Every structure is written in C-alpha cells, then in structure tokens.
Amino acid sequence: MVARKKEELAIDAVLLAGRLMMQCGAETYRVADTMRYMAESQQLFEPNSFVTPTGIIFTSGRPSQTKLVSVGDRANDLGKVARVNDVSRKLTSGEWTIDRAYEELVSIDLDPPSLPFYLKAISSAIASASFFILFDGSIGQIGYAALAGGFSYIISEWLEAYSKVRFIGQFLGALFAAVFAYFITSNGATGDLDALIVAGVMPLVPGVLITNAVRDLMSGHFVSGVSKGAEAVLTSFAIGAGVALVLSI
Amino acid sequence: MLVKACISFIAATGFGVIFNAPLQLLIFCGFAGMTGWTVSTWTRMYVIDDLMLSSFIGAFAVSIIAHLFARRFKTPMITFSIAGIIPLVPGTVAYNAMRHVVESDYTMAIQLGSQAFLISGSVAMGLVFAEVIMQMVFRSKIHIPMR
C-alpha cells in the first residue's frame, strides 16, 4: 500500500515537472527527457510519455497508472525552467527525496513569474532603444524608441491577459508602435520611421517559439514542432498586420 | 562597431529579462547575444557579404557559447540561446517585405519575404548544427573543465 502511494506521488511529481516546463517554454525533448530521468530514479522502469504543447500523457508502464495533464496558459519563464531542471537533477542524483522534490515543484508552480512585470516593461524599453541604435537610427530619437518598445510590450501583455487571445495583444501592440512612430516622424522631428517601427515591435518577436519549433522538429517531436511553428507564424503575422495597417494609411 | 557590440549586449540582456531568465545569469545571456551579433556582423563586413551565411555563423557561435555556459552553470541551454539569437532575427528585412506588400510591390515583397524566411531558417540551422556538433564532441569524452 505504501509502495503504491509512493508510486502515485512519483507519477504526480513527474507530470507536474513536465507541465511546468512545458508552460514555461522549455523544448519538448528536454521535457520528455527530464520526465524519463525523474521516473527512472523513482523505480518506474518503463516510463513512456507523449508531450505536446497542450497536454502531456504519461504512463509508468504498469497497469492502471496512466495519467494525463493538460497544459494551459503558456508564459515564457526560463527562470522556472531552470528551477525545475535543478529539482530533477537533485532528485535523480539522490540528493532529495521524492516528497521534498514534489513540495518544491508545487511551490514553483504557485510562485509568481520569476521577474516582476515592471522590470520586464523597463527592460523591453531598453532593448528597443538598443535595437534602434543597431538599426542605424539617429541617437536623438532613442527616447521615442524606448517609449514605443515599452508601451507596445505593456499593451500586448495586458490585452493578452484580458482577452485570452494571444494574437490580439500582439496585433495591437504592433499597431501602437507603428502609430506612435508614424506620429513622431510626421510631427517634423527628423526621425527614422523604419528603424523606429522595427525597434518598437522587437519585444513582441516570438523568439522562444521560433527556437523551440525548430529544435522540436529536429529532435523528432513533430506534433509540438509544427504547432509551435504555427504559433510563431501567426504571431509574426499579427505583428506584421499591425504594422501594415498603419503603413497603408 | 565596438559601441554597437556593447549595445547588442544590452539588447540581449533586456530580452533575457523579458523571458524571465534567472537574474544571476542575465549577464551571460547578454554575452551570448553579443557574441552572436558581433560574429555575424564581423562575417558580413570582412568575410562574405551575405546576410544568410552570416546569420548562420552567428547562430552557430551563439549555440556553441550557450552550450558551454549551460554546462558550466548546469542550466538548460535554452536560457542562453534564446536571448542570444534575438539580435539575429531579420527584423528589418521582414519589415521591408511588409512595407512592399502594403505598397502593392509584390515582386519585391516576395523577394524580401523569402529572404527573411531563409535567414530565419539559417539561424535555426545554425543552432541545430552547433548543438549536434557539441553533442558529438562531448560524447567523445573530450574533457572540458567544469565547475
């Protein structure tokens, strides 16, 4: 009976770790590998998993022990990926028991995002300003680039949380950046419209998705690779549409 | 060039924050980004003036350095590689393609669009190639000192 309970806990821990990593934007093959290592360290000797961006099926290879967990609300949080990775490393090396690991995983799940929102908004402003310089914008306009980048990020995140549709947020964020750049440059300030727009939409670029989509395809996880690729393409189209709308006026 | 390299460092660090990278590793995210940008720009300036090839080489460098950092800090490699490839994303090309679509200049738009597509493809290929090579190197038991 105790053994059965322990097995149950191990499976739950494995699934929780998998779900956390998938939500926070880890590569699919890494999720599958981590789950396998964790399972094997807990004497579940024939673990099999099927990992997709929207759900994970895991079986320990024995009867009556197949579980499914769905992956909701994805948000990129590489800090949490690193923490889950750390838990799995400690668990497999025998440093931690399964109970300790499960507690830690639950606390990772409950924690807010690793970095506060205002910090991300500020850093997206800084990143936009730097990109503005990299795209040969004039130094005098750098403040506008920071404003465009910061606010397009804030708008897209807010709308995403509000409307539950990712692409609306990105579309309106890009729209804002383009409108802003358009007005700045048409007001007589000698701005560089192109550089300003590109730098402004830079914080919306789906970098994690693009990287992961290719990596997943290469490692043979075609379901996740194609779906992440589709998401990346849709995001880029949303950004492009937002910019194009302003340019066409 | 040197100033711009520093700026690409800042940009990549900023992206590290946006993607919630662990705080103590942010500097290394920035370093990966700077490597990628510097290598690709250097390639474009002095070796071959081709955006696709230089992006490939830049992504290759990012992936190698991300792999080394990942081994040293025992952290997933993705932490470094994502912030690293952001400066290589063909933003300007994609934007120009979009602008030509809006101006109904479809020939140019398709040309630029496929260029943007190929550049992002080569960035991805650079990442994957370097990873495969690093895995081969580490499997052949060449010892690189770790902490």
Side-chain angles (χ1 to χ4, degrees):
Chain A
M1 200 61 210
V2 175
R4 165 116 306 171
K5 212 157 201 173
K6 201 167 171 215
E7 200 177 306
E8 201 81 32
L9 184 66
I11 291 172
D12 282 349
V14 167
L15 269 175
L16 182 57
R19 177 168 70 79
L20 277 173
M21 289 183 88
M22 213 58 206
Q23 270 181 345
C24 297
E27 311 99 306
T28 307
Y29 83 90
R30 177 180 295 283
V31 176
D33 282 358
T34 306
M35 286 169 71
R36 201 183 68 238
Y37 294 145
M38 282 177 72
E40 280 171 357
S41 77
Q42 297 307 310
Q43 280 81 45
L44 305 174
F45 286 115
E46 277 179 46
N48 276 296
S49 62
F50 179 65
V51 185
T52 72
T54 48
I56 300 173
I57 305 173
F58 177 83
T59 172
S60 67
R62 288 174 223 191
S64 83
Q65 298 289 341
T66 300
K67 284 197 176 178
L68 165 86
V69 66
S70 68
V71 181
D73 299 334
R74 288 187 298 283
N76 298 320
D77 194 332
L78 301 180
K80 283 190 178 178
V81 175
R83 281 170 72 192
V84 175
N85 197 50
D86 209 40
V87 171
S88 122
R89 198 183 287 277
K90 281 179 176 148
L91 183 68
T92 40
S93 70
E95 195 178 324
W96 283 10
T97 61
I98 185 72
D99 302 280
R100 174 93 196 273
Y102 188 71
E103 269 169 36
E104 178 68 19
L105 286 172
V106 169
S107 81
I108 293 176
D109 189 22
L110 295 177
D111 273 354
S114 309
L115 297 174
F117 183 72
Y118 71 89
L119 197 62
K120 280 188 261 184
I122 292 171
S123 71
S124 63
I126 294 173
S128 277
S130 340
F131 271 112
F132 185 63
I133 300 297
L134 288 183
F135 294 141
D136 295 319
S138 51
I139 301 279
Q141 307 282 305
I142 190 168
Y144 295 126
L147 280 179
F151 278 105
S152 70
Y153 180 76
I154 292 173
I155 287 173
S156 77
E157 289 290 306
W158 272 353
L159 280 170
E160 199 179 311
Y162 188 71
S163 72
K164 305 283 175 208
V165 182
R166 227 160 230 257
F167 310 113
I168 297 287
Q170 264 120 7
F171 172 73
L172 287 173
L175 189 70
F176 168 81
V179 168
F180 183 78
Y182 187 77
F183 276 109
I184 290 298
T185 45
S186 69
N187 269 356
T190 54
D192 190 350
L193 178 67
D194 298 354
L196 204 50
I197 292 180
V198 182
V201 298
M202 218 55 190
L204 310 177
V205 169
V208 178
L209 283 173
I210 297 172
T211 325
N212 281 345
V214 179
R215 294 275 287 281
D216 287 353
L217 283 177
M218 292 296 157
S219 57
H221 287 99
F222 294 110
V223 175
S224 351
V226 170
S227 53
K228 281 182 185 173
E231 199 179 349
V233 169
L234 274 176
T235 310
S236 323
F237 274 152
I239 297 173
V243 173
L245 194 65
V246 175
L247 287 179
S248 62
I249 299 168
Chain B
M1 170 92 183
L2 200 65
V3 176
K4 279 197 172 181
C6 294
I7 288 171
S8 69
F9 178 90
I10 299 171
T13 316
F15 267 92
V17 177
I18 294 177
F19 295 137
N20 283 308
L23 267 182
Q24 66 273 25
L25 299 178
L26 271 182
I27 294 176
F28 299 96
C29 294
F31 197 68
M34 187 169 79
T35 313
W37 190 84
T38 317
V39 167
S40 75
T41 312
W42 187 84
T43 313
R44 200 154 59 244
M45 279 168 80
Y46 297 109
V47 184
I48 180 166
D49 189 16
D50 180 52
L51 211 51
M52 242 162 74
L53 205 61
S54 64
S55 303
F56 176 83
I57 294 169
F60 196 86
V62 167
S63 188
I64 285 181
I65 206 156
H67 206 107
L68 292 176
F69 282 154
R71 292 211 157 237
R72 188 155 185 316
F73 298 109
K74 298 194 190 307
T75 316
M77 173 180 168
I78 187 178
T79 315
F80 307 105
S81 60
I82 283 177
I85 62 150
I86 286 287
L88 302 174
V89 170
T92 320
V93 184
Y95 167 77
N96 280 330
M98 189 56 75
R99 211 187 56 197
H100 284 285
V101 171
V102 172
E103 288 166 356
S104 311
D105 184 357
Y106 294 114
T107 332
M108 199 63 201
I110 287 177
Q111 190 185 333
L112 285 169
S114 41
Q115 202 187 350
F117 185 72
L118 285 176
I119 292 170
S120 26
S122 61
V123 169
M125 286 322 271
L127 279 179
V128 172
F129 263 52
E131 199 186 336
V132 170
I133 288 176
M134 290 307 269
Q135 269 171 8
M136 284 177 183
V137 168
F138 282 109
R139 256 193 219 136
S140 63
K141 304 236 169 66
I142 292 174
H143 192 71
I144 287 192
M146 277 179 256
R147 190 161 60 165

